[in-house]
Amino acid sequence: MKKDKRNAELLLQDSDDLQELLRNPYEWLERHGLTQQDVECTDTAHDALERAEEVARKANELAELPLLEALPRLHELATRVWSDDLEVSRIPFGVSLAERPIRPGPIIDDNPSATTGTGSIRCTFGLKCKADVDR
C-alpha cells in the first residue's frame, strides 16, 4: 500500500477516525499506509515540550505578583526562551503563548502538512501556566 501523504495529525482531526485508531490501531495504520513511527511523538516535539516546560516553570514563579506586574515579566520570559516572534492568543481567563513553527528541512518541504513540534504555554490569569506542544 502506498503511504498516505497526509500526516497523522490531519487524520486525527476526524473524531470517528480517532476512535477507530483507539479500537484497532494495527488495522488503522495499515488502512492509512502508516507505521507506528509515523504517529509517534518526534524528538523535535520532545525538545519543544522541554522549552515550554522551562517557560511554564519560570512563569509559575510569578504567581505571587499582581497580574499587571506579572504579564510583562511573562512576556520577557517567553521571548528570552523562544524569541520576540511569539504567537499570542486569548484563552478563557488567560493567554496562550507559543513559539513560531520550526521548519526542520526537507521532510517538511516534501510534506507541508507535517508537524514540527512547537512549544506553547497556556496561562490562566492568576498565572498558573501549563506547557504543551502544538503542530
Side-chain angles (χ1 to χ4, degrees):
M1 174 179 268
K2 186 177 185 229
K3 190 171 209 149
D4 193 324
K5 287 304 262 181
R6 298 177 300 166
N7 83 17
E9 180 181 336
L10 295 177
L11 295 169
L12 295 178
Q13 291 177 5
D14 178 342
S15 178
D16 292 337
D17 199 42
L18 178 57
Q19 288 184 41
E20 185 60 28
L21 169 64
L22 295 174
R23 285 192 297 267
N24 301 303
Y26 294 102
E27 292 172 16
W28 186 92
L29 289 171
E30 185 176 327
R31 185 174 65 251
H32 290 292
L34 299 168
T35 67
Q36 180 176 329
Q37 186 176 359
D38 293 327
V39 296
E40 286 179 340
C41 192
T42 65
D43 289 341
T44 303
H46 284 278
D47 293 344
L49 182 58
E50 286 180 19
R51 290 188 302 273
E53 287 173 339
E54 176 186 351
V55 175
R57 184 176 52 257
K58 290 177 180 177
N60 285 328
E61 294 172 5
L62 302 174
E64 300 303 317
L65 295 175
L67 179 64
L68 298 182
E69 284 183 41
L71 289 174
R73 291 185 185 188
L74 172 63
H75 183 264
E76 181 182 317
L77 268 171
T79 57
R80 198 174 324 130
V81 174
W82 289 328
S83 87
D84 290 330
D85 191 23
L86 295 176
E87 290 183 357
V88 180
S89 58
R90 176 92 162 87
I91 60 171
F93 309 106
V95 293
S96 174
L97 295 92
E99 61 187 339
R100 294 284 177 182
I102 300 164
R103 292 188 54 86
I107 293 172
I108 297 300
D109 294 337
D110 291 343
N111 184 2
S113 65
T115 58
T116 60
T118 302
S120 67
I121 60 171
R122 295 172 55 91
C123 299
T124 54
F125 291 141
L127 289 180
K128 177 64 179 169
C129 299
K130 294 183 180 181
D132 201 358
V133 175
D134 302 317
R135 291 185 207 32

